[in-house]
Amino acid sequence: MQIPAPIISKLSQATNVLIIMSGANPDSLAASLALAGFLKKIEKQAELLSVSPKFQPLEFLTGFAAVRQDLDPVKSFVIDLSTKQTAIEELSYKKEDERLSIFIKPKRGSFGPEDVTFRSSSFPYDLLVLVGVDSLENLGDVYSRNTELFFETPILNIDFRAANESYGQLNLINLSATSNSEIVYDLISQFEAGLIDATMATQLLSGIISETDSFQHVRTTPQTFLKASQLVSLGANQQEIISKLYKSKSLGLLKLWGRVLARLRQDSNLPLVYSSITANDLGQAQASNSDAEQIIGQMIAQLGFAKLFLFLKEETAGQSTGYFYSALPLDAKTLLKRFDPHLAAADALKFTVSAPLEEAQQQVLEILRQ
């Protein structure tokens, strides 16, 4: 993919970059880690923010622990002093319990109130890079509580899905790619291919493997295999990736998967499979919420005969969390808009239904069947 020149130019000019993604999506997380590593190599400041719990099997990747899950972009209070009439001889300050006194001694004459002005500094970032986020609203509270940051700071929007709303001042959307990691690989390669080391190669290959389910997904292209081969030649540790992603499933996840299979149902009129678990199931399987987050991905990977996948998890007696994935060209977000869906792991939509589990399942099935 040819990267547009304005994107290369913007990255070259930026000094402080905030990379935002949904850490529940392993591809977006891995691509963001690689991009952050690259930016630091070209002497940029790069911070990482996830708007969801991080996909734990990727904790072996360099930089995983540094990904934050909160945002507090504080503006500094700036005091400007005009030195047009005289220079500063000495500067000092005194801090008391409820007061800060700043002492400025001029070289000659004096400073007056007319020489002093006050203002707030700009946000600490000069570029936001959003990876695998199809709309700003999908950032949830991070966006709603910091709208000023998103309006004042240029955005580079990176994604491979057609659902992306192209909301950035710069949009790097490649519908022919099979993952965000592929796009980031193209970006780094065009910028300075020689900077890709074994760490970045492992991060990028982890994203590609997770998004394509180890190259089994129907979207996998010859270009995907070519890039994966190039990353291995650059030092990507393919064996470790496979071991961490596919050979280290927790006992809780395996027990939970058994319960999901026991309740698995197939719709007679739709290419749909669906299942659910109760809060009690989670406890009896000794599984975590992170294990439950991975179930929809397991359904997509293991139940290839279906095209639509629905999984519901009981939270309380009157509230359930749902996950839905479509391999068909459906506008699933609009279909389920009454439940305020947002993107989660495995490109599935995650939503909340304010109803007991059985009733919640029937509500969603009725929408899909209509």
Side-chain angles (χ1 to χ4, degrees):
M1 176 188 182
Q2 185 69 23
I3 307 300
I7 292 177
I8 298 293
S9 175
K10 191 64 181 178
L11 281 174
S12 298
Q13 296 167 5
T15 55
N16 292 286
V17 182
L18 177 63
I19 302 171
I20 306 175
M21 91 305 296
S22 170
N25 182 299
D27 169 43
S28 296
L29 177 57
S32 298
L33 290 172
L35 182 58
F38 164 71
L39 290 172
K40 290 173 183 177
K41 274 199 168 187
I42 58 174
E43 300 182 344
K44 313 290 185 183
Q45 296 293 322
E47 296 181 31
L48 291 142
L49 172 70
S50 172
V51 297
S52 61
K54 296 178 285 185
F55 183 70
Q56 287 302 311
L58 289 187
E59 64 181 348
F60 73 98
L61 293 179
T62 301
F64 181 91
V67 179
R68 297 163 47 193
Q69 290 184 247
D70 62 321
L71 178 63
D72 185 20
V74 178
K75 288 186 173 184
S76 298
F77 180 68
V78 181
I79 303 171
D80 291 314
L81 177 67
S82 173
T83 56
K84 185 177 181 180
Q85 301 300 325
T86 182
I88 296 173
E89 173 76 22
E90 184 180 304
L91 175 67
S92 60
Y93 71 91
K94 180 181 179 182
K95 188 176 184 304
E96 301 173 350
D97 286 346
E98 297 183 1
R99 177 191 293 270
L100 174 67
S101 300
I102 301 173
F103 303 94
I104 305 171
K105 180 181 178 182
K107 280 193 172 182
R108 61 181 182 278
S110 62
F111 292 114
E114 67 278 5
D115 297 316
V116 183
T117 56
F118 309 96
R119 61 185 173 87
S120 292
S121 69
S122 59
F123 288 104
Y125 311 109
D126 51 17
L127 179 65
L128 304 179
V129 180
L130 274 62
V131 181
V133 179
D134 59 2
S135 72
L136 291 175
E137 288 71 23
N138 274 343
L139 296 175
D141 288 346
V142 167
Y143 175 64
S144 61
R145 294 176 181 174
N146 302 280
T147 52
E148 192 178 358
L149 169 66
F150 289 90
F151 283 120
E152 292 186 11
T153 313
I155 296 174
L156 168 57
N157 169 27
I158 297 175
D159 206 351
F160 69 97
R161 290 165 303 200
N164 192 285
E165 296 179 358
S166 298
Y167 50 81
Q169 285 74 35
L170 297 164
N171 296 288
L172 186 53
I173 312 297
N174 183 5
L175 303 184
S176 65
T178 59
S179 66
N180 292 304
S181 295
E182 278 191 55
I183 299 176
V184 170
Y185 178 42
D186 287 337
L187 174 60
I188 298 174
S189 295
Q190 187 167 322
F191 200 108
E192 184 56 69
L195 294 179
I196 300 179
D197 56 20
T199 296
M200 278 189 276
T202 299
Q203 291 163 336
L204 292 169
L205 187 59
S206 296
I208 292 173
I209 288 176
S210 63
E211 187 61 38
T212 61
D213 191 27
S214 195
F215 309 105
Q216 297 180 68
H217 199 286
V218 292
R219 287 200 315 265
T220 307
T221 66
Q223 281 297 312
T224 308
F225 287 106
L226 176 61
K227 289 172 184 175
S229 175
Q230 292 169 344
L231 289 168
V232 171
S233 69
L234 288 167
N237 192 333
Q238 184 179 10
Q239 295 305 314
E240 182 179 25
I241 295 169
I242 297 297
S243 174
K244 298 295 185 181
L245 288 180
Y246 298 105
K247 297 180 180 179
S248 60
K249 292 183 173 66
S250 70
L251 182 59
L253 173 59
L254 295 174
K255 288 182 176 180
L256 199 60
W257 179 235
R259 291 171 182 265
V260 169
L261 290 176
R263 296 202 182 98
L264 191 67
R265 299 291 182 270
Q266 185 172 11
D267 193 275
S268 57
N269 298 314
L270 294 172
L272 167 71
V273 291
Y274 58 95
S275 188
S276 62
I277 58 168
T278 66
N280 191 46
D281 286 327
L282 204 66
Q284 290 187 352
Q286 296 180 309
S288 65
N289 284 320
S290 178
D291 292 326
E293 289 274 349
Q294 296 181 53
I295 290 296
I296 189 68
Q298 292 296 309
M299 292 177 70
I300 297 166
Q302 303 296 332
L303 309 175
F305 57 87
K307 299 295 182 183
L308 305 173
F309 305 85
L310 174 64
F311 168 61
L312 289 110
K313 176 170 74 79
E314 182 184 51
E315 302 293 348
T316 65
Q319 183 171 301
S320 304
T321 297
Y323 300 83
F324 177 72
Y325 176 83
S326 172
L328 300 175
L330 296 177
D331 186 358
K333 188 179 292 186
T334 299
L335 280 175
L336 300 172
K337 64 181 180 180
R338 63 183 280 193
F339 304 125
D340 192 25
H342 62 274
L343 209 59
D347 281 344
L349 289 178
K350 181 179 180 180
F351 53 92
T352 301
V353 184
S354 297
L357 184 61
E358 285 296 325
E359 183 182 335
Q361 181 170 276
Q362 288 307 310
Q363 286 185 28
V364 179
L365 288 174
E366 183 178 348
I367 290 171
L368 297 177
R369 287 163 178 163
Q370 289 177 351

